[in-house]
Amino acid sequence: ADAATGGGTAPTANNNAADEQSQMALVTVSTQAHRLLGLLQRVLVALSLVYAWSPVLPALLRFEGVVLWYTTNTEASGIARPAPVSLMDLLVGALILLMTFSLTRNLPGLVEVVFSSTRRVSSSDRYTMATLARYGITIAGTVSALSLLGLRWSQLQWMAAALTVGLGFGLQEIFANFVSGLILLVERPFRVGDVITINQHTGTVTRIRTRATTVLDFDNQEIVIPNKTFITGQVTNWTLSDDVTRLIIDVSVAHGSDPAEVQRMLLAIAAEHPKVLREPEANCWFMALEGQGQKFELRVYVGAVDDRLPVRNDLNRSINARLKAAGIAVAFPQMDIHVRDLPPAAAAAQETQGA
C-alpha cells in the first residue's frame, strides 16, 4: 500500500508541490478577480454612458431597419414565414458571446471570492460549482446568441442529426468522456485534492476537465486520465470521507522467541509514536509459524496519507533497535545441506577412476 502512495521523500515532495499549487491557485484567483472587476467597471461605465446619452438612444433603433439576411421560422400552425436578422441582432449577439466568454474564463475567481469566507463550502465544492456554472453559462449564452442570429433549432436539427451520426462512428469516446466528466462532478466519487489510485497510478487530483482528469503523482508528474476510465474502472480514494488509513508492519523473529513478549514489545512501540492514533487502537497478531521463524503483524492507524511512510520508517527503526536490545533474533532464510555417503560400488568406481 505504501509503495502505491509514494516512496522515499514522497510526502515532503507532495507537500512542496501542494504549497506551490496553492500559491499558483492564489495567483490565478487574483488574476481572474481583477479581470471580473475590470469587466464590472466597464459595464458600469457603459451603463453610465447609456444613461447620459438616453435622449439620443432612439437613433440606435435605426439599426433594426438594417436587414442583413432572412431566416425562416415555422409557426405553430405549420406556416413558414421569413424572419429578418438586423444589424442590431448581430451586435447584441456579439455582445452576448463576448460576455459569455468573459464569464466562463473568470468564473472560478468569482466563486472563490464569493464563497472563500464560509467554511461550509469546501474548495472541492467551489470547484464543482464553478465548473457546472461554466458549462451552463456557455450553453445558455451560445444558444441565446445563435437565436438572435436566426439559427434556431429548426435550422440546427439536421446538424444535430449529422453530429449524432458522427458520435456513432468516430466521436463516441469524446462524448463518453464528456458525459463521464459531468457524472464525476455531480456524483463526486473523488474531489480536487483527493489522493486516489487507479491503474497503478497514485496521486492527488488537481483538475477535473471536460475530457480528462489530471492527477499529480508523487514524482511530480501530471498524469492525464480520460474520464471514462473512472466510470468503467475501479478507483481507490484514500481521502474520500476519512483520511485515517491502516498500516501493517510485518515482523518475523526466530523460533524459540516468546510470542507474548514480542507482542507486548510491538504494541509498546506503537503506543509511543505520536502519529499513531489511539482510536482505532493498534493491535498485534501472531500470524503464522513459518519455516524461517514466527510471523507477527503490527497493525496501526495514522490520521493522514502523508504520514504513512514516515510512521512506517520510524516503527521499523524502533522495532529493529528493541529486538536487538532484547536479544531476539530476526528470522532469516536458512538452508540445511545433508551430505550422504556414496554406495560402496559407486565409491569403488570413483577410486578406480581416480587411480
Side-chain angles (χ1 to χ4, degrees):
D2 295 296
T5 55
T9 59
T12 303
N14 190 32
N15 292 336
N16 294 336
D19 294 339
E20 293 177 0
Q21 285 184 346
S22 299
Q23 295 176 0
M24 293 175 62
L26 289 176
V27 172
T28 303
V29 169
S30 177
T31 302
Q32 293 174 352
H34 279 87
R35 289 175 183 170
L36 285 174
L37 290 177
L39 176 62
L40 180 60
Q41 182 180 7
R42 288 191 290 271
V43 171
L44 292 177
V45 171
L47 293 177
S48 301
L49 292 177
V50 168
Y51 178 77
W53 294 344
S54 57
V56 298
L57 287 181
L60 297 178
L61 298 177
R62 295 179 59 89
F63 291 158
E64 288 285 351
V66 181
V67 178
L68 300 179
W69 62 80
Y70 287 90
T71 60
T72 302
N73 289 338
T74 303
E75 298 180 352
S77 59
I79 301 176
R81 297 184 181 276
V85 177
S86 63
L87 180 59
M88 179 65 75
D89 295 331
L90 180 62
L91 295 177
V92 174
L95 180 61
I96 291 176
L97 289 177
L98 180 61
M99 294 290 293
T100 301
F101 173 77
S102 180
L103 286 177
T104 54
R105 184 182 180 187
N106 303 310
L107 187 62
L110 176 62
V111 174
E112 289 290 337
V113 171
V114 173
F115 294 101
S116 59
S117 60
T118 176
R119 296 183 178 179
R120 295 183 178 180
V121 182
S122 63
S123 59
S124 59
D125 293 334
R126 295 195 293 268
Y127 182 87
T128 302
M129 293 168 56
T131 304
L132 294 178
R134 185 189 296 117
Y135 292 160
I137 292 175
T138 300
I139 294 173
T142 303
V143 171
S144 300
L146 293 179
S147 298
L148 288 174
L149 299 179
L151 298 177
R152 297 178 176 84
W153 175 249
S154 58
Q155 285 81 27
L156 297 177
Q157 56 185 354
W158 296 109
M159 184 182 299
L163 180 61
T164 304
V165 175
L167 290 175
F169 283 97
L171 302 178
Q172 66 270 23
E173 291 296 328
I174 297 177
F175 186 73
N177 287 324
F178 174 74
V179 175
S180 299
L182 294 178
I183 295 175
L184 294 177
L185 288 172
V186 175
E187 185 178 319
R188 302 180 67 193
F190 55 82
R191 303 150 299 185
V192 174
D194 284 353
V195 179
I196 65 172
T197 299
I198 181 171
N199 295 339
Q200 307 302 321
H201 297 296
T202 299
T204 305
V205 179
T206 57
R207 289 185 297 272
I208 303 176
R209 298 297 189 187
T210 304
R211 188 193 66 85
T213 296
T214 303
V215 176
L216 181 68
D217 68 2
F218 294 94
D219 295 327
N220 205 31
Q221 297 177 339
E222 290 186 322
I223 305 173
V224 181
I225 304 175
N227 291 329
K228 180 182 176 182
T229 307
F230 297 99
I231 302 299
T232 59
Q234 181 177 353
V235 182
T236 301
N237 192 334
W238 296 79
T239 55
L240 178 60
S241 58
D242 194 355
D243 290 345
V244 175
T245 56
R246 186 180 69 176
L247 278 178
I248 298 179
I249 310 295
D250 294 322
V251 180
S252 296
V253 299
H255 288 293
S257 303
D258 185 4
E261 180 183 358
V262 174
Q263 287 179 305
R264 285 194 300 268
M265 183 184 302
L266 294 180
L267 290 175
I269 293 173
E272 294 171 359
H273 199 286
K275 291 186 178 180
V276 173
L277 300 181
R278 303 298 177 261
E279 183 64 33
E281 64 178 357
N283 48 61
C284 182
W285 302 100
F286 188 178
M287 299 301 295
L289 282 169
E290 300 179 333
Q292 290 81 20
Q294 303 172 3
K295 181 180 179 181
F296 296 84
E297 282 189 1
L298 175 61
R299 301 180 180 182
V300 300
Y301 293 86
V302 294
V305 176
D306 291 342
D307 293 337
R308 293 179 62 87
L309 285 178
V311 171
R312 178 179 287 275
N313 175 73
D314 296 341
L315 292 180
N316 283 330
R317 293 179 62 179
S318 299
I319 291 172
N320 183 66
R322 292 285 186 89
L323 291 178
K324 185 177 180 181
I328 300 176
V330 177
F332 57 89
Q334 301 181 17
M335 179 180 297
D336 294 333
I337 300 177
H338 298 277
V339 180
R340 63 180 183 178
D341 297 334
L342 294 175
Q350 186 175 4
E351 291 178 358
T352 302
Q353 292 178 358

